[in-house]
């Protein structure tokens, strides 16, 4: 009888230790997530973005690809340290314009730099015509590559128009053509 009691005691003790250890681990995880503040998601190309911006970007990228435009991200989320490095380079005349640390939406994971070339390329035109439907818009006059996710203040186009207010022709399905040698 005392032996059985001892066994149960040991078992109970083990349970208590295990559960307190698990509780401790959960606590640590929560604290980490809170400290970070922003849930970041890694895009296919490797860049990180705020999870909501990443989801919107994935939808936009999929639609662009279906229309023959590939959207490549060269810079998404930046830590304060990365922003500081870019800003210092800019100040020394060694790199492109960069905002002062704390002043860039890249640090919130809400800004992304895309390979667009200039404002005359098909990629830029696609973005200018469509990005607003996904909550993205340009915010820096001199940087056609810099787009920010601002769904609350970005207006969706009127029905039948694109983001530039141009009429979007209703696409008519092409006449079916009989094709003998289908591949
Ligand atoms: Zn940027």
């Amino acid at each position: 009888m005392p032996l059985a009691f001892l066994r149960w005691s040991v078992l109970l003790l083990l349970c208590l230790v295990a559960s307190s250890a698990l509780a401790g681990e959960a606590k640590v995880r929560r604290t980490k997530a809170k400290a970070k503040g922003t849930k970041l998601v890694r895009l296919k190309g490797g860049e990180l973005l705020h999870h909501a911006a990443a989801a919107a970007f994935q939808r936009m990228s999929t639609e662009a690809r279906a229309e023959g435009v590939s959207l490549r991200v060269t810079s998404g989320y930046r830590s304060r340290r990365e922003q500081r490095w870019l800003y210092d380079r800019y100040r020394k005349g060694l790199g492109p314009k960069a905002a002062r640390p704390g002043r860039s939406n890249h640090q919130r994971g809400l800004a992304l730099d895309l390979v667009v070339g200039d404002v005359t390329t098909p990629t830029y035109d696609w973005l200018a015509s469509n990005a607003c439907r996904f909550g993205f818009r340009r915010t820096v006059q001199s940087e056609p590559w810099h787009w920010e996710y601002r769904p609350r203040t970005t207006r969706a186009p009127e029905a039948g128009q694109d983001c530039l207010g141009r009429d979007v022709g209703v696409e008519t399905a092409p006449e079916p053509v009989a094709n003998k040698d289908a591949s």
Side-chain angles (χ1 to χ4, degrees), residues 78 106 111-113 143 145-146:
R78 294 172 193 158
H106 279 287
L112 69 168
D113 296 344
E143 300 183 2
W145 60 85
H146 179 96

Side-chain angles (χ1 to χ4, degrees), residues 14-30:
L14 280 173
C15 283
L16 282 171
V17 168
S19 66
S20 71
L22 282 174
E25 197 187 1
K27 210 175 185 178
V28 170
R29 264 195 222 136
R30 254 201 306 279

